[in-house]
Every structure is written in C-alpha cells, then in structure tokens.
Amino acid sequence: MPSEQPTPTNPLMIWRVDMRTQTLERQTVPESWQTLGGRGLLARILVDEVPATCEPLGRHNKLIFAPGLLVGHMLSSCDRISVGAKSPLTGGVKESNAGGSTGMQIVQLGIKALIIEDQPEVPGWWLLHLSKDGARFESADDLAGLGVYETAQRLLERFGSKVAIALIGPGGEMRFSSAGIQNLDKDRVPSRINARGGMGAVMGSKGLKAIVIDASRGSKPPVADLAAFREAQKAYTKALMEHPQTASYRDYGTAGMTKLTYTFGALPTRNFSNGQFEGAETISGEFMRQQILDRGGEGDPTHACMAGCTIRCSNIYAGADGKSLVSPLEYETIGLMGSNLGIDDLDVIARLNWEVNDLGLDSIEVGAALGVAAEGGLMQFGDGERALELLGEIRKGSVLGRVLGSGAVTTGRVLGVERVPAVKGQAMSAYDPRAIKGTGVTYATTPQGADHTCGLTIRAKVDHLKPEGQALLSGKTQVNMAGYDTLGACIFAGFGFAAAPKTIAALLNARYGWQVGADILQVLGRETITLELEFNRMAGFTKADDRLPEWMQHEPLQPFDAVFDVPQEDMDAVFNWTGA
Ligand code: SF4
C-alpha cells in the first residue's frame, strides 16, 4: 500500500487482521481511500482487493468494518457502522449498516477500516479483542452455539460494560445466508444488526464469534476547524429537531409506517399476495405506542440506539407483565413477520423477533422465507406458534431449518413456490413494489439486491401507482442514500440534512480541512454506486439481473389492482451517468 502518512486531522489507519496467522498489521490509508468512509469505502476496498468471482464463504473473501466519514463526533444519528463483503446471499457487493456503539468505538481506536482476511487453518471459534494495544485473539469455543443475548452478557461480564461488541449467533456459525452481525446498543443490548446479505455468515466463515472493541484509552477524532464544525452541527441539529418527521419517528418509531403502507396498498400481506392487511390496526405504530404506555414497566416507546441521537426512533416493547419482550420492534419486522405471515398480534411478532435476534438473523429475510414457507404448505398464515416452531428448526440446524435460514429464494426453490419476493437473491423489505413503484425500481436496480434503505421513495409527493418518473425518482434517491451511507448517517438523519443541505459540506470541510462543494452528498453517492456496479459486473451481473420477479409484472396487487409496469428502458437508464 502507498505510504501516505496519517495527518493530524486524519490520523485514522487501516487495521488488517489475518485469521490464519492471527496477526494484526496497521497500515496507512491509501490516497484513493482517504475521502471515502462507510459504504463508499467498502465498495472501494472490495473492488481493489476482493476477487469478484471468489467464493463468499471462502478464504479470499474479506469482511470489512468501515465507519462513515462523520462517525465519532456524536452528531445526531451519524455514528453508524457499515459492514461489507461479497455477499453469500446475492453473490454481489454488500454493505449493511447498523447503529449502536461499534462505529463510535472503532473510530476512537483510530480505525478507518478493519479488514478481516483469510480463515483459521484449524476449525474453531475465536474472539478478536481490539484496543490501543492492538489485537488479541482468544478462544471462543465456550461461546459456540450460544445465542447473541447470552454471548453478549458473558462478554460484558468478562470485559466490562464499556466495550463495544460485534458478534454472531448460531445462524452465523452455521453460515446461513440470512445471518447478520449484532452490535450493542447504547444500553448494552445486542440488538443493532448489520442484517442484510449474510454478513454474519461471512464472519462465521472466518471463525469469528465476536469482536470486542475497547476504546477506553482511545480518543475522539480531531477536527480541523472546531468552531466551524460546531456551527454546522448546530444548524443540522436544529433542522433535524424542527422537522415534523422527527416528532413522528420519536412517537411511533418506524412502526408508524404500517398505516402509511396500508393506505398505499403496499403492506406485504400473506406472502405479498395483498397490499392491505385486515389486522393492520393492531400492528400499527399508534397501537404499539399506546400499548407500551398502558403496560408500563420496562417498555419505552421512545429509545435511542446510539448515544446522542435526538430522533430516538427505537423502542423497548414489553409484554403484559411489563417485562421487555424485545428491543426494538421495527416496522420491517412487523411487515415481514406480522402482516406478511397473517399475524396481527404484536406480542407474537415480538417473540418471533426475539428469537430471530438471538439467532443473529435478518428478520426481513427470515420473515420473507416464512411467508414463502406458508405458501408452500409448511404453516398456516396467522399461526404464530407454528412460525416459532419453524424458527426452532433453524436453531436446531435441521435440514428444514437450514433451508429457511438460507433465505426466501432457497425456500421457494425447495418448496416449488413461484411467489418469492426477492431480487438478486435477497428478499424485499416491507413495501410491495407494485404499489410503491419507485421503490420497486430501487429493489430491481440497486447493486445491493432488494433493499429499501438503498432508495425508499414512499415519502416523495408523487403518484406511487404510476410508472412514469419512478426510475428518475429512484435514481436520485439511491444516490442520496449511498451518500448518507458513506457519511455513516442514519436514514432518518436525512430529514435534517435535506432541510439544511449545506451542513454536509460544512461538516466535512470543518472535520477534515477539505474544500468540498455543496454537491458532495451526490458526489459520494455516485462514486459509491459506480464502484458497486463495477464489482457486480466483475462478479458476472448484467442488466438482466436488474428486474423484479416476473410474477409481479402480471399478478395484480389488491386493493388497487397494481402490477409492476415501469418500462425496462427506464430502469436500465437509472444509472446512465456511469456510462454503463
Ligand atoms: S433515528 Fe433510530 S435508527 Fe437512527 S440513529 Fe436514532 S435511534 Fe438509531
């Protein structure tokens, strides 16, 4: 690597861990990596270092943790950690980001990117401990098979309550393509998951059960112009606090989305066979908030996943006895494990959610797989107890459990089900794309596989049922989202940045001493997507992969009789600025 020296305003370094030799090398950051972070940096490293045709669970894949460019300063909702690798679920580029405390502590240790390479020669489980002293490996065989809640508890007792932890559950150990990586939230609950694309399986393939990050002797990253940074921070925070959506997400969390998707006829119901669920009321954000308040005890309708977040869209959902059932209970889980399974009881959805969390799995992918399984005759829609039994099969690692844990597409293939809601092997989030067509374009064209966080268009003031203009809308939204993911900003931080767009350049210039212009979000977004497309092209993807499933083009979705009819030419032009 080039021998760029860290500068006082940019002292971060690349930490490269070799799982075969159990060694750490600290390297300076190559010039072309300096101006990237988070999702953009992951894409750059994957293109530069990972053979695109490699086996995702083999020794040549790399698991990369990269905090975004603005992480480390307790800017509201801007301390996320991006994790990336070649995905075992999609076979393509993957970035999955999460809140919690991992991002902040990685930066405080001076890490620009943590790159985990190769595999142990002898099978076994390992714990990687990172601190100012460097890296230390410890056997984690005693933790093998344990769920993430028990594992995190033991690690906190061993290493103290101040550390950050990124860990996998039994799902990652069994290398399921639906496995994610759990991170501690600010209250030390392992609940913030890098969920999508099987990053937990990649971590499992490296023999890593957990990474413990101890930044107790670390420090906040320096800021080139502190006064300018503070001023921009103030303007951004003010814009965020004054935005009406901030209050809505504080009160109802992401679950506030249930009523909106119901209204649009886009709430996945019984394996995406309808856009409205008759039980939507009792799984809505409004109902959940009231129930949490009525029950009291440990429940809390407004909770922050990371220190300093002023939106606090998270929650603690408690049962009738006031004891926590799960935290958080999010819209995507409600959509995929509630209405999509015909379940209208939040207590049941919370139990399913706890199980999936403890297994360390993506609730979107598993919820979609269970929906396909129900259609294939393995459970009745609405039967929560049977859904729990099926999760038990996943925990046991039975053949059936392994099929379900491999995701919706594998489940559909094994059961002969055509109605599988997935693109590039990855299940759709809880927005039926026939009724929110811009998001359908995003699902189809993003290099990441179906994923609403790559470009959710539901808040745009357009007719979501009309095909015209959706590709343009999706393209713009995707660029912005790739930019936010490169900053380390939560999707909801976008409310503040959209209201005060100049603050993005102001923050970056003050932090790094740069001179970037007002279009920096789009510059970062375009660069990121261009790199991701390049990786996927080298992995063998073509435009033929940028399509929604065929059945969505001819099976009308009720109540609006909607099919997905955005012209292919429009979708193929989404990224025409790349020249691809
Ligand atoms: S808005 Fe929600 S998801 Fe985003 S940082 Fe805050 S609590 Fe976490």
Side-chain angles (χ1 to χ4, degrees):
M1 300 171 85
S3 57
E4 285 267 319
Q5 289 307 308
T7 65
T9 53
N10 201 5
L12 303 182
M13 299 200 63
I14 304 299
W15 286 31
R16 200 179 285 276
V17 170
D18 186 319
M19 292 302 297
R20 184 165 295 255
T21 56
Q22 298 204 338
T23 52
L24 165 72
E25 202 180 332
R26 278 178 271 207
Q27 300 170 327
T28 52
V29 182
E31 190 159 4
S32 63
W33 298 11
Q34 297 267 8
T35 51
L36 290 169
R39 180 172 159 188
L41 181 55
L42 294 177
R44 178 78 266 169
I45 297 173
L46 286 170
V47 166
D48 287 353
E49 297 197 354
V50 174
T53 53
C54 75
E55 162 53 48
L57 300 180
R59 61 181 296 199
H60 298 297
N61 201 5
K62 300 186 182 186
L63 182 69
I64 310 157
F65 290 71
L69 286 168
L70 290 177
V71 172
H73 305 277
M74 292 230 324
L75 274 172
S76 179
S77 331
C78 289
D79 282 324
R80 289 178 82 81
I81 183 71
S82 289
V83 176
K86 176 173 174 171
S87 165
L89 188 69
T90 69
V93 68
K94 178 49 64 185
E95 183 264 3
S96 180
N97 61 67
S101 51
T102 303
M104 173 71 92
Q105 295 223 27
I106 278 196
V107 168
Q108 288 182 350
L109 275 188
I111 300 174
K112 172 93 172 164
L114 170 68
I115 305 177
I116 296 164
E117 305 184 342
D118 217 327
Q119 293 171 322
E121 218 151 353
V122 183
W125 290 104
W126 295 96
L127 180 153
L128 173 64
H129 183 276
L130 302 175
S131 70
K132 272 288 174 197
D133 297 327
R136 188 173 86 226
F137 286 84
E138 294 181 15
S139 171
D141 287 340
D142 58 321
L143 302 172
L146 293 182
V148 298
Y149 292 114
E150 171 76 20
T151 304
Q153 195 49 43
R154 290 197 194 183
L155 293 176
L156 286 167
E157 279 162 19
R158 196 153 129 206
F159 295 102
S161 63
K162 299 245 165 65
V163 296
I165 302 173
L167 73 165
I168 59 171
E173 291 177 34
M174 289 187 268
R175 305 179 190 188
F176 294 159
S177 298
S178 63
I181 298 172
Q182 289 277 19
N183 301 272
L184 300 184
D185 71 6
K186 72 169 181 27
D187 299 315
R188 309 290 163 233
V189 178
S191 59
R192 312 311 303 196
I193 186 166
N194 302 100
R196 311 237 60 198
M199 296 301 93
V202 178
M203 187 154 153
S205 77
K206 306 275 177 214
L208 254 185
K209 176 70 177 172
I211 304 172
V212 175
I213 304 137
D214 177 358
S216 55
R217 284 180 291 126
S219 52
K220 271 189 167 183
V223 173
D225 183 341
L226 195 55
F229 191 86
R230 292 244 168 90
E231 194 183 323
Q233 178 173 13
K234 215 165 126 195
Y236 157 68
T237 308
K238 184 168 180 294
L240 186 61
M241 293 296 284
E242 286 173 355
H243 199 286
Q245 288 302 333
T246 296
S248 171
Y249 277 89
R250 180 196 62 216
D251 290 345
Y252 306 116
T254 53
M257 198 56 88
T258 306
K259 281 199 171 165
L260 193 60
T261 50
Y262 177 90
T263 306
F264 285 139
L267 177 63
T269 301
R270 296 185 193 85
N271 192 31
F272 285 71
S273 65
N274 202 307
Q276 288 189 335
F277 178 48
E278 67 282 0
E281 176 60 33
T282 55
I283 60 170
S284 67
E286 292 78 353
F287 185 93
M288 178 164 72
R289 176 180 170 81
Q290 199 53 53
Q291 180 147 284
I292 291 173
L293 291 173
D294 290 347
R295 285 175 169 177
E298 293 170 0
D300 186 350
T302 302
H303 181 257
C305 79
M306 62 176 67
C309 173
T310 53
I311 306 173
R312 296 176 295 145
C313 79
S314 187
N315 58 52
I316 301 172
Y317 183 82
D321 60 359
K323 292 219 162 61
S324 170
L325 276 179
V326 78
S327 173
L329 188 50
E330 303 264 16
Y331 169 67
E332 300 305 325
T333 307
I334 290 171
L336 269 302
M337 307 196 92
S339 53
N340 188 51
L341 303 183
I343 294 171
D344 62 3
D345 183 338
L346 285 176
D347 287 358
V348 175
I349 301 169
R351 285 167 63 206
L352 292 168
N353 197 172
W354 188 93
E355 279 296 322
V356 170
N357 281 358
D358 194 49
L359 287 162
L361 301 177
D362 172 13
S363 62
I364 295 177
E365 194 64 47
V366 174
L370 290 178
V372 172
E375 177 136 356
L378 290 184
M379 65 174 267
Q380 297 286 316
F381 286 112
D383 187 348
E385 292 307 316
R386 177 61 181 151
L388 276 165
E389 273 175 29
L390 291 176
L391 295 185
E393 294 293 325
I394 296 180
R395 191 179 287 274
K396 274 189 281 184
S398 67
V399 173
L400 172 57
R402 286 170 190 270
V403 169
L404 296 168
S406 300
V409 168
T410 299
T411 302
R413 282 207 187 109
V414 171
L415 297 178
V417 174
E418 184 198 357
R419 193 189 291 122
V420 177
V423 179
K424 298 186 180 78
Q426 181 166 275
M428 292 174 188
S429 327
Y431 309 85
D432 194 306
R434 287 166 289 182
I436 310 284
K437 290 182 182 169
T439 301
V441 177
T442 299
Y443 286 162
T445 57
T446 169
Q448 299 283 338
D451 185 342
H452 68 292
T453 67
C454 291
L456 182 61
T457 60
I458 195 168
R459 298 220 174 262
K461 305 278 180 244
V462 300
D463 181 346
H464 295 285
L465 291 167
K466 282 203 169 143
E468 294 82 18
Q470 302 293 348
L472 200 61
L473 173 63
S474 167
K476 281 188 183 158
T477 315
Q478 288 194 59
V479 167
N480 287 343
M481 281 316 305
Y484 289 134
D485 291 341
T486 297
L487 298 177
C490 172
I491 188 169
F492 308 125
F495 297 132
F497 285 130
K502 288 186 185 153
T503 57
I504 298 174
L507 285 164
L508 288 171
N509 291 337
R511 159 72 180 88
Y512 294 98
W514 294 343
Q515 300 289 322
V516 297
D519 62 345
I520 185 63
L521 185 72
Q522 290 72 33
V523 170
L524 290 171
R526 285 202 191 96
E527 183 176 356
T528 299
I529 292 173
T530 303
L531 288 164
E532 291 177 346
L533 290 169
E534 188 181 343
F535 186 88
N536 275 8
R537 186 185 50 72
M538 292 188 296
F541 285 78
T542 68
K543 286 205 188 302
D545 297 297
D546 293 345
R547 302 285 181 260
L548 291 192
E550 197 180 300
W551 59 271
M552 285 191 157
Q553 295 163 38
H554 58 73
E555 187 181 303
L557 178 71
Q558 301 310 326
F560 299 123
D561 232 7
V563 293
F564 189 77
D565 53 2
V566 176
Q568 289 187 5
E569 318 78 84
D570 286 13
M571 295 208 290
D572 289 345
V574 163
F575 303 126
N576 59 5
W577 38 265
T578 64

